[in-house]
């Protein structure tokens, strides 16, 4: 096997792995091309209809799907129950995986990092953007900051599987720079749809970039934390990004994060340790 073929196979395998992590359980072998730049809502809506069983749902390993069958135009409808939302989320992740709205990010990412968790959870954490570890593994918050987030979740009496975790943008900015305004704007539609489908009872924005983008404000995280805000009617708390709490940065801020978490737990009706 020549090197180009090996590289392409490796990339394809990585792409499928990232879709699996994002919850995608099936995909068309040769779908009609989806126009991701002009009509994502229609494609997402088509996915929702597929979720209702209006089309066959092959597994990832299934290869017997006629070309163009899956994404034929179907009537749009809001997915209502958990199963429909789970499937619509998978379809959204599939659409995001092929997104090229941000040219630089699409050209430099290893893969998109959609999110992890199940719809219907009580709490959704929203971070800034994938870093190097996340870009390599296709899952948000898996590096050092992710380990710290796991500890915060455990201190709250929950497991990582009990919450949903995503980022404002789904592709790693080169050099881990902050997302640009137009990149956050490009990805906003995906984020809003994602949160709508997960439908958490509470949101927690991690760090100033996530909080400012989510809430549409320029206030600093220092001013935003310590109280509740609302994102489309969902009570939202903001706190410091776990990366900011790492030993070489500001570990003294851990106590502020814990204060924010205690406020959140109390509002959620959960025991506060
Ligand atoms: S950051 Fe979002 S909008 Fe930009 S290319 Fe990635 S998935 Fe598309």
């Amino acid at each position: 096997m020549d090197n180009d073929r090996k590289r392409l196979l490796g990339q394809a395998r990585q792409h499928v792995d990232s879709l699996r992590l994002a919850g995608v359980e099936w995909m068309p072998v040769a779908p009609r091309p989806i126009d991701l730049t002009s009509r994502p809502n229609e494609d997402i809506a088509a996915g929702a209809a597929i979720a209702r069983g209006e089309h066959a749902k092959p597994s990832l390993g299934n290869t017997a799907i006629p070309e163009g069958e899956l994404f034929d135009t179907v009537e749009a409808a809001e997915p209502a129950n958990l199963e429909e939302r789970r499937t619509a989320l998978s379809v959204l992740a599939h659409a995001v995986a092929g997104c090229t709205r941000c040219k630089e990010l699409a050209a430099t990412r290893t893969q998109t990092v959609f999110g992890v968790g199940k719809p219907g959870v009580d709490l959704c954490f929203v971070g800034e953007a994938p870093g190097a570890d996340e870009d390599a593994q296709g899952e948000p918050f898996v590096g050092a900051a992710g380990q710290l987030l796991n500890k915060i979740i455990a201190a709250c009496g929950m497991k990582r599987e009990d919450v949903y975790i995503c980022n404002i943008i789904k592709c790693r900015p080169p050099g881990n720079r902050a997302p640009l305004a137009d990149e956050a704007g490009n990805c906003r539609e995906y984020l809003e749809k994602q949160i709508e489908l997960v439908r958490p009872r509470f949101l927690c924005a991690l760090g100033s970039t996530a909080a400012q983008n989510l809430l549409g404000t320029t206030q600093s995280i220092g001013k935003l934390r310590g109280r509740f805000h609302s994102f489309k009617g969902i009570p939202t708390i903001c706190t410091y990004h776990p990366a900011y709490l790492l030993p070489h940065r500001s570990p003294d801020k851990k106590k502020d994060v814990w204060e924010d978490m205690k406020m959140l737990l109390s509002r959620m009706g959960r025991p506060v340790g």
Side-chain angles (χ1 to χ4, degrees), residues 18-267:
S18 73
L19 288 174
R20 272 206 190 96
L21 279 168
V24 174
E25 294 175 339
W26 57 268
M27 61 190 296
V29 171
R32 177 168 59 81
I34 308 168
D35 182 351
L36 291 160
T37 54
S38 60
R39 41 188 290 278
N41 271 336
E42 291 169 39
D43 293 320
I44 292 163
I50 292 165
R52 296 194 307 276
E54 291 169 20
H55 288 71
K57 289 185 278 184
S59 71
L60 274 172
N62 192 337
T63 56
I65 306 303
E67 182 172 351
E69 186 171 299
L70 281 173
F71 287 92
D72 285 345
T73 304
V74 287
E75 286 298 309
E78 284 304 311
N81 65 35
L82 265 183
E83 182 58 24
E84 287 177 346
R85 279 155 54 203
R86 192 173 67 84
T87 309
L89 209 51
S90 297
V91 173
L92 180 62
H94 185 42
V96 166
C99 177
T100 57
R101 288 179 184 179
C102 313
K103 299 297 171 220
E104 184 189 17
L105 304 192
T108 54
R109 72 188 178 210
T110 303
Q111 58 195 313
T112 54
V113 181
F114 182 68
V116 67
K118 297 178 197 144
V121 293
D122 278 353
L123 177 59
C124 171
F125 287 96
V126 183
E128 178 180 317
D133 293 318
E134 291 75 18
D135 176 70
Q137 295 184 41
E139 183 173 340
F141 284 91
V142 290
Q147 300 309 311
L148 195 43
L149 178 61
N150 290 347
K151 286 184 182 169
I152 293 169
I153 294 168
C156 291
M158 291 181 272
K159 297 197 276 289
R160 190 173 161 100
E161 311 82 82
D162 297 331
V163 301
Y164 194 88
I165 307 172
C166 61
N167 284 305
I168 292 286
I169 65 168
K170 315 303 183 196
C171 302
R172 181 195 181 204
N176 286 354
R177 63 162 169 75
L180 304 176
D182 64 332
E183 292 164 350
N186 289 344
C187 223
R188 178 79 179 188
E189 186 177 14
Y190 298 140
L191 177 69
E192 289 190 3
K193 192 73 193 169
Q194 187 174 29
I195 293 174
E196 185 185 316
L197 290 169
V198 173
R199 216 173 293 169
R201 286 176 56 227
F202 295 89
L203 284 166
C204 179
L206 298 168
S208 59
T209 303
Q212 290 171 350
N213 271 285
L214 201 62
L215 301 173
T217 176
T218 54
Q219 284 194 305
S220 69
I221 188 67
K223 292 220 166 70
L224 292 169
R225 61 160 295 272
R227 59 196 164 98
F228 277 92
H229 306 265
S230 174
F231 174 80
K232 295 180 179 285
I234 304 173
T236 302
I237 200 153
C238 306
T239 195
Y240 295 109
H241 194 286
Y244 187 57
L245 308 177
L246 292 173
H248 62 289
R249 297 192 66 188
S250 298
D252 56 306
K253 295 292 185 193
K254 282 182 186 172
K255 60 180 183 320
D256 292 335
V257 171
W258 184 231
E259 289 305 314
D260 295 331
M261 291 302 106
K262 284 199 290 188
M263 190 180 291
L264 175 62
L265 289 170
S266 173
R267 181 90 173 255

